Amino acid sequence: MSNLDWGSSGAPSFTKIIFSDVYPAIDPSNTTLPTGFSVCIIGASRGIGAGIATSYAKAGASLIILAGRRTSGLEDVAQQCKQTGKAKDIQVLVIRCDLTIPSDVEFLAAQTRESYPSGLDVLALNSGVTEFVAKIVDTPTDQIINTTAVNYVGTFLVAKNFVPLLLAKDKGAKMFAVVGSMASLLVRGPIANAQYCVSKTAQLRLAELLHEEFHVAHGLRVFCAHPGAVASEQSNAKSPDEFKSYLTDSAELCGAFFVWLSTRGEEVAWLSGRLLSAKWDVVELERRRDEIVANDLLKLKLVL
């Protein structure tokens, strides 16, 4: 990661130009997804997850499944999707799912298969229990267990149950998208910690493994993207005071970035298996393709 500019906020940037809100190159309103485009968003009841849902609606997704633990929030997002959706007769389903319960994830996958027998285009996973107790010796054990269960084990359960649905759709987008975090790289500073940062590192590594197992042989594209520093119910309540001034990024930015990745197909397949940021300028990112591929950048590595 030596090529990254970490900047004053501690958030690394690979591109010289960065954004805090949706910009023309990735604006989902400028996109029209294919008829019958299907997406399942887990963790969609608020914030970044809700932004992902409305972004796909604005881009013309025909079939949207919203999943999460809070069905009341999901119902509100469903109404937003229907109001802003570009596709005629847009279908939005709401299903309760707790990522830490295997049977819940299995049920969600079964309902998705029943609703979309031809397969799924995109699975977007927005899982993130945010805990910022800085010192290991002060960290409650149940926080470690719960955060790991959501951020890592939950990602595993989703991959296990949803990859077959993504691969089943003929000429589908075959996209497994994870809301990751640049905090997965942190070992010092006010938000470096043993629960959130380390579990997000494990999530990133799992995404890399998923790419290696299914990209070349089956065409699965796996993207792990930092959404920016977004003010939310969780981040406002749990972030250290010295970090809160950096919570200035739009909750819709990550969704717009995911839509952009969905529409580019094989043109951005080379980004699969890498840690990305929704804040990075996609024009500059594409310009640096040869450098990224040749040096296998934006991956976890041991330098000897």
Side-chain angles (χ1 to χ4, degrees), residues 249-296:
D249 295 318
S250 166
E252 287 73 41
L253 181 60
C254 189
F257 183 60
F258 280 173
V259 169
W260 178 81
L261 290 168
S262 299
T263 61
R264 304 290 289 182
E266 286 303 307
E267 293 179 27
V268 294
W270 56 278
L271 288 172
S272 178
R274 307 181 193 278
L275 176 60
L276 309 173
S277 172
K279 293 176 64 63
W280 297 349
D281 175 35
V282 297
V283 176
E284 184 181 347
L285 193 62
E286 288 190 294
R287 249 193 337 256
R288 299 182 66 176
R289 171 178 178 169
D290 291 346
E291 173 193 358
I292 294 169
V293 173
N295 296 291
D296 202 23

Side-chain angles (χ1 to χ4, degrees), residues 190-213:
I191 63 170
N193 60 79
Q195 56 274 50
Y196 181 74
C197 296
V198 175
S199 64
K200 278 295 188 178
T201 305
Q203 182 188 60
L204 171 59
R205 198 59 162 175
L206 183 63
E208 291 182 355
L209 182 62
L210 198 60
H211 163 82
E212 291 296 330
E213 289 187 1

